[in-house]
Amino acid sequence: MNTGDALLKQAEALLYREADCLDRADLPAWMELYSEDGTYWMPAAPEQEDPLNHISHFYDDRVMMEIRRRNFVHPRAASKDHTVRCSHLIGNIRITAEDAVAGSCTVHSNFHAMLYYREEKRLYGGRYEHVLKQGASGLLIQRKRVDLIDCDAAHKSLIIYL
Amino acid sequence: MLITTESGISHLVEPCRLHRRVYTDPAIFELEMERIWGRAWIFIGHESQVPRPGDYFTTNINHRIPVVMVRDRDGLVRVLHNRCAHKGAKLVDKRSGNVRAFRCCYHGWTFGTDGKLLKIPNEKGYDGTGMDPKDPQWNLRPVAQHASYRGFVFATLDEKAPDLVTWLGGAAACFDNLCDRAPEGEVEVAGGVLRYDHACNWKMFLENLNDTHHPQTTHQSVVDAALDYISTLPPDAAKQREEAEIIPPFGGSYENFEKSGITGFAYGHHYDGGKTSIHSGYSVNPVYRDAMVNAYGEERTQEILSFNTHNTCYYPSLTIKTAIQNIRVVRPIAVDRCVVETWSFRLKGAPPGMLQRTLLYSRLINSVGSMVGPDDLEAYMRMQQGLQSPASEWVEMYREFGRDTDMGDRIVGTGTSDLDMRTQYRAWRHYMLGEVA
Ligand code: FES
Ligand SMILES: [Fe+2]
């Protein structure tokens, strides 16, 4: 196996692990997969260039992740009274940029996420972009961008990361 | 009770009680679309969305009627019915864009940006038939009235509606304050839009805006989560983050909200805050403040920035946050469904950090992925479900009743008063039954 294949294998494993954490709504374990400067971004427009000068559905850094994971299990968060179950399928995973010296890479993939919430099944789909970097014990997520195919449509409450 | 008769409707709203059917009955909803949304001035868009001739923006005036806001060749912003004058096809189906002329996708009738019919392909078929293509009835029809106030464009389907300035009344001061907060005295739409699907009656969203008795309960979880996290940080670390100014005030005490006050006007408009609001503790960006002082002088700057409202509602379609520079635009879909859009504004002449704060606020509070909006919506959805119950026919709005002060053009009360609800239902009765607004 050449180094490119090895990196792809590691990246795939990380993406699958992340999807599994979200399927189980285990936000503390999910956060462990992110670097200290990690961010999670879900734009509200196709090809959106920037999370600060344009509105987004989500743009969390570690601080917001810390608040969100506390909110998620708060007994008085009424929107979280209903359990949320999710099932992610990720495919077409490919490394689109690589910096061998820094040990970082950009990974694109396509996803479908079936979500069950408030007695309703919903289907989300689109494209992921992950920027991964080498941490002390393997790859970590430094940036995740979630481009929903219907990012600019009217959406219902989305109480968990996709 | 036969609700579609006038006396049936008049029994649904008492001074301090509402019949549950105002939220649940599809027949009432259809009547509201005709009598409230068909008579009031409805917010369409902002002139900055159509800066050049030929620029257009499409929306609906109620749950159904499509209109297009367009800047014509002479620079005038018009609101036209988005309906081909031929066989009625919706003429423009994109949300926004630029055209030289509107050409219908069906038989190619072509209209100028002022609505005038320019061309019918193979026109000779009409020769001698009695159909005169020059007759204005074959132009795109303008809505009954349209007008703008400081760039905010409204339209009404009612020829007899009072002019926009009269209708806005004292609540126009909030548009003034929003625009005056720009060093150049003007705002423009910027940073995109959020569209939020609400499974509830449209009035529940409006009625929550200045319901200052809910944040302590509904938003306790996000305030707790934020404060719990902040408590793990070294002292002062939270000061670096604007989120720390935005989230905790949602947990403000009842006394704080009481102090902020509620002001109600004719036609259902109202705001809470004035001297204080949940936004008044925000720090002021020093570069922005300098730009303001340069433009207005110290005293006027002070005056502009200290008029601090929380939400202003222009009943029934628009709510604005002057201190935050975002607005929410409401469109009903059905008796139990509406869409709420959040738009943000740039203060012309202000540093870029100001728009970024507006967008941060919209994302933290109004996004489907926020930790605030979903808990509000959860409460509305539960009301929509709970009100199906015949356990009681009534919803109350007695809080502080009889203790509001009538100042002539406005009524003021304490911040936790149901004055906002009573103001809206006075307007509801006005539109539905022709009573005084
Ligand atoms: S319907 Fe528009 S041209 Fe015929
Ligand atoms: Fe709320």
Side-chain angles (χ1 to χ4, degrees):
Chain A
M1 195 158 34
N2 66 34
T3 54
D5 287 345
L7 186 63
L8 180 61
K9 277 268 165 278
Q10 286 176 42
E12 282 176 350
L14 179 54
L15 264 58
Y16 293 150
R17 208 155 55 232
E18 191 208 3
D20 179 56
C21 291
L22 293 176
D23 285 352
R24 290 180 291 106
D26 186 347
L27 295 186
W30 174 80
M31 278 183 67
E32 298 288 301
L33 306 177
Y34 281 72
S35 60
E36 275 311 306
D37 59 351
T39 55
Y40 176 94
W41 179 27
M42 185 187 288
E47 330 249 312
Q48 188 176 321
E49 277 170 15
D50 142 29
L52 296 178
N53 296 291
H54 189 288
I55 191 71
S56 304
H57 299 298
F58 287 80
Y59 182 54
D60 281 12
D61 62 1
R62 237 181 144 87
V63 168
M64 287 309 297
M65 292 174 190
E66 286 284 359
I67 296 174
R68 200 179 287 276
R69 78 173 169 87
R70 288 169 167 81
N71 176 256
F72 192 74
V73 294
H74 195 289
R76 295 231 167 118
S79 61
K80 281 88 187 170
D81 279 357
H82 316 274
T83 47
V84 55
R85 300 176 206 145
C86 211
S87 169
H88 287 74
L89 275 187
I90 307 177
N92 203 4
I93 302 177
R94 65 269 184 205
I95 294 182
T96 49
E98 193 183 337
D99 182 340
V101 182
S104 66
C105 62
T106 303
V107 184
H108 283 109
S109 59
N110 293 13
F111 75 96
H112 282 187
M114 184 85 81
L115 184 139
Y116 180 74
Y117 174 64
R118 270 188 141 269
E119 306 194 359
E120 182 189 60
K121 206 160 52 187
R122 298 186 202 161
L123 185 61
Y124 292 94
R127 197 173 89 133
Y128 284 152
E129 178 181 90
H130 285 81
V131 175
L132 308 179
K133 73 171 182 188
Q134 213 54 247
S137 49
L139 285 175
L140 290 170
I141 303 167
Q142 187 178 25
R143 242 169 40 219
K144 177 178 180 181
R145 171 181 175 140
V146 181
D147 281 293
L148 294 177
I149 55 165
D150 56 349
C151 60
D152 49 354
H155 281 273
K156 299 177 177 178
S157 299
L158 183 51
I159 62 160
I160 191 163
Y161 302 107
L162 287 178
Chain B
M1 177 168 53
L2 231 188
I3 48 87
T4 42
T5 65
E6 306 301 294
S7 83
I9 297 166
S10 79
H11 285 117
L12 296 174
V13 176
E14 297 176 358
C16 290
R17 293 201 313 175
L18 305 168
H19 197 282
R20 65 188 175 103
R21 288 164 97 162
V22 305
Y23 300 110
T24 59
D25 189 329
I28 299 278
F29 175 80
E30 285 300 328
L31 262 192
E32 287 177 340
M33 294 305 102
E34 196 182 303
R35 296 189 179 180
I36 301 179
W37 290 76
R39 289 175 180 171
W41 285 90
I42 303 300
F43 176 67
I44 300 296
H46 190 266
E47 285 175 1
S48 62
Q49 293 173 285
V50 290
R52 293 159 305 147
D55 284 349
Y56 67 83
F57 172 76
T58 62
T59 181
N60 283 354
I61 220 165
N62 58 6
H63 61 327
R64 199 170 280 155
I65 300 173
V67 295
V68 55
M69 169 174 84
V70 57
R71 190 178 292 270
D72 72 16
R73 298 277 144 214
D74 297 326
L76 200 76
V77 175
R78 297 170 184 265
V79 182
L80 306 170
H81 282 288
N82 188 0
R83 181 235 189 248
C84 178
H86 181 217
K87 291 196 195 296
K90 189 177 170 191
L91 201 60
V92 213
D93 211 27
K94 283 208 296 199
R95 213 164 263 290
S96 61
N98 180 277
V99 288
R100 287 191 44 210
F102 295 114
R103 183 170 178 274
C104 180
C105 70
Y106 202 6
H107 311 96
W109 284 32
T110 303
F111 305 87
T113 47
D114 58 357
K116 201 178 271 148
L117 175 62
L118 299 177
K119 184 170 172 259
I120 300 178
N122 200 16
E123 193 181 310
K124 64 181 186 307
Y126 289 112
D127 287 352
T129 61
M131 187 282 198
D132 173 12
K134 296 269 157 328
D135 188 317
Q137 70 167 302
W138 307 115
N139 294 341
L140 296 180
R141 313 300 298 182
V143 293
Q145 298 188 58
H146 60 84
S148 86
Y149 187 81
R150 297 198 71 164
F152 291 81
V153 179
F154 287 79
T156 172
L157 300 175
D158 184 5
E159 281 147 30
K160 296 194 291 288
D163 67 88
L164 180 63
V165 171
T166 304
W167 181 82
L168 290 171
C174 295
F175 277 132
D176 291 336
N177 184 251
L178 171 59
C179 300
D180 292 347
R181 282 170 179 265
E184 293 173 20
E186 277 181 17
V187 296
E188 60 187 350
V189 174
V193 58
L194 288 175
R195 309 181 67 234
Y196 200 151
D197 192 342
H198 276 48
C200 67
N201 187 269
W202 61 275
K203 298 188 293 302
M204 289 176 183
F205 170 76
L206 292 184
E207 290 162 16
N208 173 68
L209 286 172
N210 292 326
D211 176 326
T212 55
H213 237 256
H214 85 279
Q216 305 80 351
T217 308
T218 308
H219 304 307
Q220 183 193 342
S221 66
V222 65
V223 174
D224 283 357
L227 296 180
D228 182 49
Y229 174 62
I230 289 171
S231 74
T232 68
L233 302 176
D236 281 2
K239 292 225 175 75
Q240 313 300 321
R241 303 281 297 209
E242 285 185 306
E243 289 91 336
E245 285 190 347
I246 294 175
I247 296 175
F250 279 83
S253 66
Y254 293 116
E255 292 71 34
N256 264 343
F257 283 107
E258 249 145 43
K259 269 202 306 239
S260 69
I262 295 208
T263 305
F265 299 89
Y267 301 109
H269 315 323
H270 59 279
Y271 60 76
D272 83 314
K275 288 198 188 67
T276 60
S277 80
I278 67 168
H279 306 310
S280 48
Y282 291 7
S283 54
V284 181
N285 176 323
V287 184
Y288 167 63
R289 200 173 196 292
D290 286 349
M292 286 294 282
V293 172
N294 264 333
Y296 294 103
E298 181 60 41
E299 202 179 320
R300 177 77 185 121
T301 297
Q302 197 52 274
E303 193 179 31
I304 293 168
L305 298 184
S306 62
F307 182 64
N308 216 302
T309 51
H310 171 210
N311 285 305
T312 304
C313 171
Y314 297 100
Y315 193 79
S317 68
L318 176 69
T319 81
I320 74 169
K321 279 183 173 294
T322 62
I324 298 297
Q325 298 99 47
N326 82 2
I327 66 171
R328 277 170 292 168
V329 182
V330 184
R331 285 299 183 268
I333 307 274
V335 69
D336 55 359
R337 192 160 168 230
C338 62
V339 169
V340 178
E341 296 185 345
T342 302
W343 304 7
S344 302
F345 285 84
R346 176 187 288 121
L347 299 170
K348 288 193 185 176
M354 293 302 287
L355 176 64
Q356 291 181 0
R357 190 189 61 174
T358 302
L359 293 165
L360 170 68
Y361 186 93
S362 300
R363 195 175 73 233
L364 279 183
I365 310 299
N366 305 137
S367 139
V368 297
S370 77
M371 289 175 273
V372 174
D375 286 329
D376 286 317
L377 176 54
E378 181 68 25
Y380 319 151
M381 290 193 289
R382 291 196 197 182
M383 281 197 291
Q384 196 70 39
Q385 292 169 323
L387 289 170
Q388 299 297 328
S389 162
S392 163
E393 298 299 328
W394 299 99
V395 171
E396 70 88 11
M397 46 178 183
Y398 279 96
R399 188 170 277 279
E400 304 289 338
F401 181 62
R403 295 199 277 272
D404 304 328
T405 315
D406 193 334
M407 319 271 283
D409 78 324
R410 64 196 66 197
I411 298 177
V412 296
T414 162
T416 54
S417 169
D418 280 333
L419 169 60
D420 55 324
M421 290 278 282
R422 295 189 289 267
T423 300
Q424 290 173 80
Y425 282 96
R426 192 157 46 110
W428 193 92
R429 288 188 66 107
H430 159 74
Y431 287 118
M432 297 291 277
L433 294 161
E435 293 179 1
V436 177

